[in-house]
Amino acid sequence: MIDSIDLTRMIESQNVHGLERAASLAGGLLLVAKGLRRGGVIGLLELVVGGAALARGVTGHCPAKHYLAETRAELEQIRGGLDAAGKRLAELGKAAKV
């Protein structure tokens, strides 16, 4: 049974919305159907990729997108620190010349 805490956590972890989610569902269904029709190794690959796309569309969560967002946030934080350090260094340079 899903309690309210689990439901809130699931909603907060959703990072795929709207058309992107619908495209994942449609693309996943298409790939699963193609994989079932084709068979063999290529068909198996289509099934796997289609299943991942379906899972992404159904849950509304994409682990790769989450990882990239975290990485981008870390890079922005580092960039902000470097900008602040650069400004402070420029201020110290001006103060040293006076």
Side-chain angles (χ1 to χ4, degrees):
M1 185 170 151
I2 297 177
D3 60 11
S4 62
I5 294 172
D6 289 338
L7 185 59
T8 303
R9 190 178 301 128
M10 286 173 57
I11 291 170
E12 288 175 354
S13 71
Q14 289 183 345
N15 58 4
V16 180
H17 304 284
L19 289 176
E20 186 179 5
R21 194 168 179 181
S24 290
L25 287 168
L29 283 172
L30 180 68
L31 281 171
V32 166
K34 283 181 70 176
L36 288 172
R37 247 182 306 144
R38 180 174 288 179
V41 175
I42 301 296
L44 182 61
L45 288 173
E46 287 176 334
L47 280 172
V48 169
V49 173
L54 276 174
R56 181 179 192 262
V58 168
T59 64
H61 180 74
C62 178
K65 190 173 183 178
H66 176 76
Y67 173 76
L68 290 173
E70 280 185 347
T71 304
R72 179 174 226 177
E74 289 174 8
L75 289 174
E76 291 297 324
Q77 185 178 10
I78 291 168
R79 180 179 289 157
L82 288 173
D83 287 343
K87 288 177 185 176
R88 180 70 180 137
L89 185 59
E91 290 171 3
L92 289 173
K94 286 180 185 178
K97 289 180 184 177
V98 173

Coordinates of all heavy atoms in Angstrom, one line a residue:
M1 N 0.8 -1.2 0.0 CA 0.0 0.0 0.0 C 0.9 1.2 0.0 O 1.9 1.3 0.7 CB -0.9 0.0 1.2 CG -1.9 1.1 1.3 SD -3.1 0.8 2.6 CE -3.4 2.4 3.0
I2 N 0.5 2.2 -0.8 CA 1.3 3.5 -0.9 C 0.7 4.5 0.1 O -0.5 4.8 0.1 CB 1.2 4.1 -2.3 CG1 1.8 3.1 -3.3 CG2 1.9 5.4 -2.3 CD1 1.7 3.6 -4.7
D3 N 1.6 4.9 1.1 CA 1.1 5.9 2.0 C 1.4 7.3 1.4 O 2.0 7.5 0.4 CB 1.7 5.7 3.4 CG 3.2 5.8 3.4 OD1 3.8 6.2 2.4 OD2 3.8 5.5 4.4
S4 N 1.0 8.3 2.1 CA 1.1 9.7 1.6 C 2.5 10.1 1.5 O 2.9 10.9 0.6 CB 0.3 10.7 2.5 OG 0.9 10.7 3.8
I5 N 3.5 9.6 2.3 CA 4.9 10.0 2.2 C 5.5 9.4 0.9 O 6.2 10.1 0.2 CB 5.7 9.5 3.4 CG1 5.2 10.2 4.7 CG2 7.2 9.7 3.2 CD1 5.7 9.7 6.0
D6 N 5.2 8.2 0.6 CA 5.6 7.5 -0.6 C 5.1 8.3 -1.9 O 5.8 8.5 -2.8 CB 5.3 6.1 -0.7 CG 6.1 5.2 0.3 OD1 7.1 5.7 0.7 OD2 5.6 4.1 0.6
L7 N 3.8 8.6 -1.8 CA 3.2 9.3 -2.9 C 3.8 10.7 -3.2 O 4.1 11.1 -4.3 CB 1.7 9.5 -2.7 CG 0.9 10.1 -3.9 CD1 1.0 9.2 -5.1 CD2 -0.6 10.2 -3.5
T8 N 4.1 11.4 -2.1 CA 4.8 12.7 -2.2 C 6.1 12.6 -2.7 O 6.6 13.3 -3.6 CB 4.8 13.4 -0.8 OG1 3.5 13.5 -0.2 CG2 5.5 14.7 -0.8
R9 N 6.9 11.6 -2.3 CA 8.2 11.3 -2.8 C 8.2 11.0 -4.3 O 9.1 11.5 -5.0 CB 8.9 10.2 -2.0 CG 10.4 10.0 -2.3 CD 11.1 9.0 -1.5 NE 10.9 9.2 -0.1 CZ 10.5 8.3 0.8 NH1 10.1 7.1 0.4 NH2 10.4 8.6 2.1
M10 N 7.2 10.2 -4.7 CA 7.1 9.8 -6.1 C 6.8 11.1 -7.0 O 7.4 11.3 -8.0 CB 6.0 8.8 -6.3 CG 6.4 7.4 -5.9 SD 5.0 6.2 -5.9 CE 4.5 6.3 -7.6
I11 N 5.9 11.9 -6.5 CA 5.6 13.1 -7.2 C 6.8 14.1 -7.3 O 7.0 14.7 -8.3 CB 4.3 13.8 -6.6 CG1 3.1 12.9 -6.8 CG2 4.1 15.2 -7.2 CD1 1.9 13.4 -6.1
E12 N 7.5 14.3 -6.2 CA 8.6 15.2 -6.2 C 9.8 14.7 -7.1 O 10.5 15.4 -7.6 CB 9.1 15.3 -4.7 CG 8.2 16.2 -3.9 CD 8.7 16.2 -2.4 OE1 9.6 15.5 -2.1 OE2 8.0 17.0 -1.7
S13 N 9.9 13.3 -7.2 CA 11.0 12.8 -8.0 C 10.7 12.8 -9.5 O 11.5 12.4 -10.3 CB 11.3 11.4 -7.6 OG 10.3 10.5 -8.0
Q14 N 9.5 13.2 -9.9 CA 9.1 13.3 -11.3 C 9.9 14.4 -12.0 O 9.8 15.5 -11.5 CB 7.6 13.4 -11.5 CG 6.8 12.2 -11.2 CD 5.3 12.4 -11.4 OE1 4.9 13.5 -11.6 NE2 4.6 11.3 -11.4
N15 N 10.6 14.1 -13.1 CA 11.3 15.1 -13.8 C 11.0 15.0 -15.3 O 11.7 15.7 -16.1 CB 12.8 15.0 -13.5 CG 13.4 13.6 -13.9 OD1 12.7 12.8 -14.4 ND2 14.6 13.4 -13.6
V16 N 10.0 14.3 -15.7 CA 9.5 14.2 -17.0 C 8.0 14.5 -17.0 O 7.3 13.9 -16.3 CB 9.7 12.7 -17.6 CG1 9.3 12.7 -19.0 CG2 11.2 12.3 -17.5
H17 N 7.7 15.5 -17.8 CA 6.3 16.0 -17.8 C 5.8 16.3 -19.2 O 6.6 16.4 -20.2 CB 6.2 17.4 -17.0 CG 6.8 17.3 -15.6 ND1 6.1 16.7 -14.6 CD2 7.9 17.7 -15.1 CE1 6.8 16.7 -13.5 NE2 7.9 17.3 -13.8
G18 N 4.5 16.4 -19.3 CA 3.8 16.9 -20.5 C 4.2 16.1 -21.8 O 4.1 14.8 -21.8
L19 N 4.5 16.8 -22.8 CA 4.8 16.2 -24.1 C 6.0 15.2 -24.1 O 6.0 14.2 -24.8 CB 5.1 17.3 -25.2 CG 3.9 18.1 -25.6 CD1 4.3 19.2 -26.6 CD2 2.8 17.2 -26.2
E20 N 7.0 15.5 -23.3 CA 8.1 14.6 -23.1 C 7.7 13.3 -22.6 O 8.1 12.2 -23.1 CB 9.1 15.3 -22.2 CG 10.4 14.5 -22.1 CD 11.4 15.2 -21.2 OE1 11.1 16.3 -20.6 OE2 12.6 14.7 -21.1
R21 N 6.8 13.3 -21.6 CA 6.3 12.0 -21.0 C 5.4 11.3 -22.0 O 5.5 10.0 -22.2 CB 5.5 12.4 -19.8 CG 5.2 11.2 -18.9 CD 4.7 11.7 -17.6 NE 4.4 10.5 -16.7 CZ 3.9 10.6 -15.5 NH1 3.7 11.8 -15.0 NH2 3.6 9.5 -14.8
A22 N 4.6 12.0 -22.8 CA 3.7 11.4 -23.8 C 4.6 10.8 -24.9 O 4.3 9.7 -25.4 CB 2.7 12.4 -24.3
A23 N 5.6 11.5 -25.3 CA 6.5 11.0 -26.3 C 7.3 9.7 -25.8 O 7.5 8.8 -26.6 CB 7.5 12.0 -26.7
S24 N 7.6 9.6 -24.6 CA 8.3 8.4 -24.0 C 7.3 7.3 -24.1 O 7.7 6.1 -24.4 CB 8.7 8.7 -22.6 OG 9.8 9.6 -22.5
L25 N 6.1 7.5 -23.7 CA 5.1 6.4 -23.7 C 4.8 5.9 -25.2 O 4.9 4.7 -25.4 CB 3.7 6.9 -23.1 CG 3.7 7.0 -21.6 CD1 2.5 7.8 -21.2 CD2 3.8 5.7 -21.0
A26 N 4.6 6.9 -26.1 CA 4.4 6.5 -27.5 C 5.6 5.8 -28.1 O 5.5 4.8 -28.8 CB 4.0 7.7 -28.3
G27 N 6.8 6.4 -27.9 CA 8.0 5.8 -28.4 C 8.3 4.4 -27.8 O 8.7 3.5 -28.5
G28 N 8.0 4.3 -26.5 CA 8.2 3.0 -25.9 C 7.3 1.9 -26.4 O 7.7 0.8 -26.7
L29 N 6.0 2.3 -26.6 CA 5.1 1.3 -27.2 C 5.5 0.9 -28.6 O 5.4 -0.3 -28.9 CB 3.7 1.9 -27.2 CG 2.9 1.9 -25.9 CD1 1.6 2.7 -26.0 CD2 2.7 0.5 -25.4
L30 N 5.9 1.9 -29.4 CA 6.3 1.6 -30.7 C 7.5 0.6 -30.7 O 7.6 -0.3 -31.5 CB 6.7 2.9 -31.5 CG 7.1 2.7 -32.9 CD1 6.0 2.3 -33.8 CD2 7.7 4.1 -33.4
L31 N 8.5 0.9 -29.9 CA 9.7 0.1 -29.9 C 9.4 -1.3 -29.4 O 10.0 -2.3 -29.9 CB 10.8 0.7 -29.0 CG 11.6 1.8 -29.7 CD1 12.5 2.6 -28.8 CD2 12.4 1.3 -30.9
V32 N 8.6 -1.4 -28.4 CA 8.2 -2.7 -27.8 C 7.5 -3.5 -28.9 O 7.8 -4.7 -29.2 CB 7.3 -2.6 -26.6 CG1 6.7 -3.9 -26.2 CG2 8.2 -2.1 -25.4
A33 N 6.6 -2.9 -29.6 CA 5.9 -3.6 -30.7 C 6.8 -4.0 -31.8 O 6.8 -5.2 -32.3 CB 4.8 -2.7 -31.3
K34 N 7.7 -3.2 -32.2 CA 8.7 -3.5 -33.2 C 9.6 -4.6 -32.8 O 10.0 -5.5 -33.6 CB 9.6 -2.3 -33.6 CG 8.9 -1.3 -34.5 CD 9.8 -0.1 -34.8 CE 10.9 -0.6 -35.7 NZ 11.8 0.4 -36.2
G35 N 10.0 -4.6 -31.5 CA 10.9 -5.6 -31.0 C 10.2 -7.0 -31.0 O 10.8 -8.0 -31.3
L36 N 8.9 -7.0 -30.6 CA 8.2 -8.3 -30.6 C 8.0 -8.8 -32.0 O 8.1 -10.0 -32.2 CB 6.8 -8.1 -29.9 CG 6.8 -7.8 -28.4 CD1 5.4 -7.5 -27.9 CD2 7.3 -9.1 -27.7
R37 N 7.8 -7.9 -33.0 CA 7.6 -8.4 -34.3 C 9.0 -8.9 -34.9 O 9.0 -9.9 -35.7 CB 7.1 -7.2 -35.2 CG 5.7 -7.5 -35.7 CD 5.2 -6.4 -36.6 NE 5.4 -5.1 -35.9 CZ 5.7 -3.9 -36.5 NH1 5.9 -3.9 -37.8 NH2 5.8 -2.8 -35.8
R38 N 10.0 -8.2 -34.7 CA 11.3 -8.5 -35.3 C 12.0 -9.7 -34.7 O 12.5 -10.6 -35.4 CB 12.3 -7.3 -35.2 CG 13.6 -7.6 -35.8 CD 14.5 -6.3 -35.8 NE 13.9 -5.4 -36.8 CZ 14.5 -4.2 -37.0 NH1 15.5 -3.8 -36.3 NH2 13.9 -3.4 -37.9
G39 N 12.1 -9.8 -33.4 CA 12.7 -10.9 -32.8 C 14.3 -10.8 -32.9 O 14.8 -9.8 -33.4
G40 N 15.0 -11.8 -32.5 CA 16.4 -11.8 -32.5 C 17.1 -10.8 -31.6 O 16.4 -10.3 -30.7
V41 N 18.3 -10.6 -31.8 CA 19.1 -9.7 -31.0 C 18.6 -8.2 -31.1 O 18.4 -7.5 -30.1 CB 20.6 -9.8 -31.3 CG1 21.4 -8.8 -30.5 CG2 21.1 -11.2 -31.0
I42 N 18.4 -7.8 -32.4 CA 17.9 -6.5 -32.6 C 16.5 -6.3 -31.9 O 16.3 -5.2 -31.3 CB 17.8 -6.1 -34.1 CG1 19.2 -6.3 -34.7 CG2 17.3 -4.7 -34.3 CD1 20.3 -5.3 -34.2
G43 N 15.7 -7.2 -32.1 CA 14.3 -7.2 -31.5 C 14.4 -7.1 -29.9 O 13.7 -6.4 -29.3
L44 N 15.4 -7.8 -29.4 CA 15.6 -7.8 -27.9 C 16.1 -6.4 -27.5 O 15.6 -5.9 -26.5 CB 16.6 -8.9 -27.5 CG 16.9 -9.0 -26.0 CD1 15.6 -9.3 -25.3 CD2 18.0 -10.0 -25.8
L45 N 17.0 -5.8 -28.3 CA 17.4 -4.5 -27.9 C 16.3 -3.5 -28.0 O 16.2 -2.6 -27.2 CB 18.5 -4.1 -28.9 CG 19.9 -4.7 -28.7 CD1 20.9 -4.4 -29.8 CD2 20.5 -4.4 -27.3
E46 N 15.4 -3.6 -29.0 CA 14.3 -2.7 -29.1 C 13.3 -2.9 -28.0 O 12.8 -1.9 -27.4 CB 13.5 -3.0 -30.4 CG 14.3 -2.5 -31.7 CD 13.6 -2.8 -33.0 OE1 12.8 -3.8 -33.0 OE2 13.8 -2.0 -33.9
L47 N 13.2 -4.1 -27.5 CA 12.3 -4.4 -26.3 C 12.9 -3.7 -25.1 O 12.2 -3.1 -24.3 CB 12.2 -5.9 -26.1 CG 11.2 -6.7 -26.9 CD1 11.3 -8.2 -26.7 CD2 9.8 -6.2 -26.6
V48 N 14.2 -3.8 -24.9 CA 14.8 -3.2 -23.7 C 14.7 -1.7 -23.7 O 14.3 -1.1 -22.8 CB 16.3 -3.7 -23.6 CG1 17.1 -2.9 -22.6 CG2 16.4 -5.1 -23.3
V49 N 15.0 -1.1 -24.9 CA 15.0 0.4 -25.0 C 13.5 0.8 -24.9 O 13.2 1.8 -24.2 CB 15.6 0.8 -26.3 CG1 15.4 2.3 -26.5 CG2 17.1 0.5 -26.3
G50 N 12.6 0.1 -25.5 CA 11.2 0.5 -25.4 C 10.7 0.3 -24.0 O 9.9 1.2 -23.6
G51 N 11.1 -0.7 -23.3 CA 10.7 -0.9 -21.9 C 11.2 0.2 -21.1 O 10.4 0.7 -20.2
A52 N 12.4 0.7 -21.3 CA 13.0 1.8 -20.5 C 12.2 3.1 -20.8 O 11.9 3.8 -19.9 CB 14.4 2.0 -20.8
A53 N 11.8 3.3 -22.1 CA 11.1 4.5 -22.4 C 9.7 4.4 -21.8 O 9.1 5.4 -21.3 CB 11.0 4.6 -23.9
L54 N 9.1 3.2 -21.8 CA 7.7 3.1 -21.2 C 7.8 3.4 -19.7 O 7.0 4.0 -19.1 CB 7.2 1.7 -21.4 CG 6.5 1.4 -22.7 CD1 6.1 -0.1 -22.9 CD2 5.2 2.3 -22.8
A55 N 8.8 2.8 -19.0 CA 9.0 3.0 -17.6 C 9.2 4.5 -17.3 O 8.6 5.1 -16.4 CB 10.2 2.3 -17.1
R56 N 9.9 5.2 -18.2 CA 10.2 6.6 -18.0 C 8.8 7.4 -18.2 O 8.5 8.3 -17.4 CB 11.1 7.1 -19.1 CG 11.5 8.5 -19.1 CD 12.5 8.8 -20.2 NE 13.1 10.1 -20.2 CZ 12.7 11.1 -20.9 NH1 11.7 11.0 -21.7 NH2 13.3 12.3 -20.7
G57 N 8.0 7.0 -19.1 CA 6.8 7.7 -19.3 C 5.7 7.4 -18.2 O 5.0 8.3 -17.8
V58 N 5.7 6.1 -17.8 CA 4.7 5.8 -16.7 C 5.1 6.4 -15.4 O 4.2 7.0 -14.7 CB 4.7 4.2 -16.6 CG1 3.9 3.8 -15.4 CG2 4.0 3.6 -17.8
T59 N 6.3 6.3 -15.0 CA 6.7 6.9 -13.7 C 6.9 8.4 -13.7 O 6.8 9.0 -12.7 CB 8.0 6.2 -13.2 OG1 9.1 6.6 -14.1 CG2 7.9 4.7 -13.1
G60 N 7.3 8.9 -14.9 CA 7.6 10.4 -14.9 C 8.9 10.7 -14.4 O 9.2 11.8 -14.1
H61 N 9.8 9.7 -14.2 CA 11.1 9.9 -13.7 C 12.2 9.3 -14.6 O 12.0 8.2 -15.1 CB 11.3 9.2 -12.3 CG 12.6 9.4 -11.7 ND1 13.0 10.6 -11.2 CD2 13.7 8.6 -11.6 CE1 14.3 10.5 -10.8 NE2 14.7 9.3 -11.0
C62 N 13.2 10.1 -14.9 CA 14.3 9.6 -15.8 C 15.6 9.8 -15.0 O 16.0 10.9 -14.7 CB 14.4 10.5 -17.0 SG 15.8 10.0 -18.1
P63 N 16.2 8.6 -14.6 CA 17.4 8.7 -13.8 C 18.6 9.5 -14.5 O 19.3 10.2 -13.8 CB 17.8 7.3 -13.6 CG 16.6 6.5 -13.8 CD 15.8 7.3 -14.8
A64 N 18.7 9.3 -15.8 CA 19.7 10.0 -16.5 C 19.5 11.5 -16.5 O 20.4 12.3 -16.3 CB 19.8 9.6 -18.0
K65 N 18.3 12.0 -16.6 CA 17.9 13.4 -16.6 C 18.2 13.9 -15.2 O 18.7 15.1 -15.0 CB 16.5 13.6 -17.0 CG 16.1 15.0 -17.2 CD 14.7 15.1 -17.7 CE 14.3 16.5 -18.0 NZ 13.0 16.7 -18.6
H66 N 17.9 13.1 -14.2 CA 18.1 13.5 -12.8 C 19.6 13.7 -12.5 O 20.1 14.7 -11.9 CB 17.6 12.5 -11.8 CG 17.8 12.7 -10.4 ND1 17.2 13.7 -9.7 CD2 18.7 12.2 -9.5 CE1 17.6 13.7 -8.4 NE2 18.6 12.8 -8.3
Y67 N 20.4 12.8 -13.0 CA 21.9 12.8 -12.8 C 22.5 14.1 -13.5 O 23.3 14.8 -13.0 CB 22.6 11.6 -13.4 CG 24.1 11.6 -13.4 CD1 24.8 11.5 -12.2 CD2 24.7 11.9 -14.6 CE1 26.2 11.6 -12.2 CE2 26.1 12.0 -14.6 CZ 26.8 11.8 -13.4 OH 28.2 11.9 -13.4
L68 N 22.0 14.3 -14.7 CA 22.5 15.5 -15.5 C 22.1 16.8 -14.8 O 22.9 17.8 -14.8 CB 22.0 15.5 -16.9 CG 22.6 14.4 -17.8 CD1 21.9 14.3 -19.2 CD2 24.1 14.6 -18.0
A69 N 20.9 16.9 -14.2 CA 20.5 18.1 -13.5 C 21.3 18.3 -12.3 O 21.7 19.4 -12.0 CB 19.0 18.0 -13.2
E70 N 21.6 17.2 -11.5 CA 22.5 17.3 -10.4 C 23.9 17.8 -10.7 O 24.4 18.7 -10.1 CB 22.6 16.0 -9.6 CG 21.4 15.7 -8.8 CD 21.6 14.4 -8.0 OE1 22.6 13.6 -8.3 OE2 20.9 14.1 -7.0
T71 N 24.4 17.2 -11.8 CA 25.7 17.6 -12.3 C 25.8 19.1 -12.7 O 26.7 19.8 -12.4 CB 26.2 16.7 -13.4 OG1 26.1 15.3 -13.0 CG2 27.6 17.0 -13.9
R72 N 24.7 19.5 -13.4 CA 24.7 20.9 -13.8 C 24.6 21.8 -12.6 O 25.2 22.9 -12.6 CB 23.5 21.1 -14.8 CG 23.4 22.5 -15.2 CD 22.3 22.7 -16.2 NE 22.8 23.5 -17.3 CZ 22.2 23.8 -18.4 NH1 21.0 23.3 -18.6 NH2 22.7 24.6 -19.3
A73 N 23.8 21.5 -11.6 CA 23.7 22.3 -10.4 C 25.0 22.4 -9.7 O 25.4 23.5 -9.3 CB 22.6 21.7 -9.5
E74 N 25.8 21.3 -9.6 CA 27.1 21.3 -9.0 C 28.0 22.2 -9.8 O 28.8 23.0 -9.2 CB 27.7 19.9 -8.9 CG 27.0 19.0 -7.9 CD 27.5 17.6 -8.0 OE1 28.5 17.3 -8.7 OE2 26.9 16.8 -7.3
L75 N 28.0 22.1 -11.1 CA 28.9 23.0 -11.9 C 28.5 24.5 -11.8 O 29.4 25.3 -11.7 CB 28.8 22.6 -13.4 CG 29.4 21.2 -13.8 CD1 29.2 20.9 -15.2 CD2 30.9 21.3 -13.5
E76 N 27.2 24.8 -11.7 CA 26.8 26.2 -11.5 C 27.3 26.7 -10.1 O 27.7 27.8 -10.0 CB 25.3 26.3 -11.6 CG 24.8 26.1 -13.0 CD 25.3 27.1 -14.0 OE1 25.5 28.3 -13.6 OE2 25.5 26.8 -15.2
Q77 N 27.2 25.8 -9.1 CA 27.7 26.2 -7.8 C 29.2 26.5 -7.8 O 29.7 27.5 -7.3 CB 27.4 25.1 -6.8 CG 27.7 25.5 -5.4 CD 27.4 24.4 -4.4 OE1 27.0 23.3 -4.8 NE2 27.4 24.7 -3.1
I78 N 30.0 25.6 -8.5 CA 31.4 25.8 -8.7 C 31.7 27.1 -9.4 O 32.6 27.9 -9.0 CB 32.1 24.6 -9.3 CG1 32.0 23.4 -8.4 CG2 33.5 24.9 -9.8 CD1 32.4 22.1 -9.1
R79 N 31.0 27.3 -10.5 CA 31.1 28.5 -11.3 C 30.9 29.8 -10.5 O 31.6 30.8 -10.5 CB 30.2 28.5 -12.5 CG 30.4 29.8 -13.4 CD 29.5 29.8 -14.6 NE 30.0 28.8 -15.5 CZ 29.2 28.2 -16.4 NH1 28.0 28.5 -16.6 NH2 29.8 27.3 -17.2
G80 N 29.8 29.8 -9.6 CA 29.5 30.9 -8.8 C 30.7 31.1 -7.8 O 31.0 32.3 -7.5
G81 N 31.2 30.1 -7.2 CA 32.4 30.2 -6.3 C 33.6 30.8 -7.0 O 34.3 31.6 -6.4
L82 N 33.8 30.4 -8.2 CA 35.0 30.9 -9.0 C 34.8 32.3 -9.3 O 35.7 33.1 -9.3 CB 35.2 30.0 -10.2 CG 35.8 28.7 -10.0 CD1 35.8 27.9 -11.3 CD2 37.2 28.7 -9.4
D83 N 33.6 32.7 -9.7 CA 33.3 34.1 -10.0 C 33.5 35.0 -8.8 O 34.1 36.1 -8.9 CB 31.9 34.3 -10.5 CG 31.7 33.8 -12.0 OD1 32.7 33.6 -12.7 OD2 30.5 33.6 -12.4
A84 N 33.0 34.5 -7.6 CA 33.2 35.3 -6.4 C 34.7 35.4 -6.0 O 35.1 36.5 -5.6 CB 32.4 34.7 -5.3
A85 N 35.4 34.3 -6.2 CA 36.8 34.4 -5.9 C 37.6 35.3 -6.9 O 38.5 36.1 -6.5 CB 37.4 33.0 -6.0
G86 N 37.2 35.3 -8.1 CA 37.8 36.2 -9.1 C 37.5 37.7 -8.8 O 38.4 38.5 -8.9
K87 N 36.3 38.0 -8.4 CA 36.0 39.4 -8.0 C 36.8 39.8 -6.8 O 37.3 40.9 -6.7 CB 34.5 39.5 -7.7 CG 33.6 39.4 -9.0 CD 32.2 39.5 -8.7 CE 31.4 39.3 -10.0 NZ 29.9 39.3 -9.7
R88 N 36.9 38.9 -5.8 CA 37.6 39.2 -4.6 C 39.1 39.4 -4.9 O 39.8 40.3 -4.4 CB 37.5 38.0 -3.6 CG 38.2 38.2 -2.3 CD 37.6 39.4 -1.5 NE 38.3 39.5 -0.2 CZ 38.7 40.6 0.3 NH1 38.3 41.8 -0.3 NH2 39.3 40.7 1.4
L89 N 39.7 38.6 -5.8 CA 41.0 38.7 -6.2 C 41.3 40.0 -6.9 O 42.3 40.7 -6.7 CB 41.4 37.5 -7.1 CG 42.9 37.5 -7.5 CD1 43.8 37.4 -6.3 CD2 43.1 36.3 -8.5
A90 N 40.3 40.5 -7.7 CA 40.4 41.7 -8.4 C 40.4 42.9 -7.4 O 41.2 43.9 -7.5 CB 39.3 41.9 -9.5
E91 N 39.5 42.8 -6.4 CA 39.5 43.8 -5.4 C 40.8 43.9 -4.6 O 41.3 45.0 -4.3 CB 38.3 43.5 -4.4 CG 37.0 43.7 -5.0 CD 35.9 43.2 -4.1 OE1 36.2 42.7 -3.0 OE2 34.7 43.2 -4.5
L92 N 41.4 42.7 -4.3 CA 42.6 42.7 -3.6 C 43.8 43.3 -4.4 O 44.6 44.0 -3.9 CB 43.0 41.3 -3.1 CG 42.1 40.7 -2.0 CD1 42.4 39.2 -1.8 CD2 42.3 41.4 -0.7
G93 N 43.7 43.0 -5.7 CA 44.7 43.6 -6.6 C 44.6 45.1 -6.7 O 45.7 45.8 -6.7
K94 N 43.4 45.6 -6.7 CA 43.3 47.1 -6.8 C 43.7 47.7 -5.4 O 44.4 48.7 -5.4 CB 41.8 47.4 -7.0 CG 41.3 47.2 -8.4 CD 39.9 47.6 -8.6 CE 39.4 47.2 -10.0 NZ 38.0 47.5 -10.1
A95 N 43.4 47.0 -4.3 CA 43.8 47.5 -3.0 C 45.3 47.5 -2.8 O 45.9 48.4 -2.2 CB 43.1 46.7 -1.9
A96 N 46.0 46.5 -3.4 CA 47.4 46.4 -3.3 C 48.1 47.5 -4.1 O 49.2 47.9 -3.8 CB 47.9 45.0 -3.8
K97 N 47.5 48.0 -5.2 CA 48.1 49.0 -6.1 C 48.0 50.4 -5.5 O 48.8 51.2 -5.8 CB 47.5 49.0 -7.5 CG 47.8 47.8 -8.3 CD 47.1 47.9 -9.6 CE 47.4 46.6 -10.4 NZ 46.7 46.6 -11.7
V98 N 47.1 50.5 -4.5 CA 46.8 51.9 -4.0 C 47.9 52.2 -2.9 O 48.7 51.7 -2.4 CB 45.4 51.9 -3.3 CG1 45.2 53.2 -2.6 CG2 44.4 51.8 -4.4

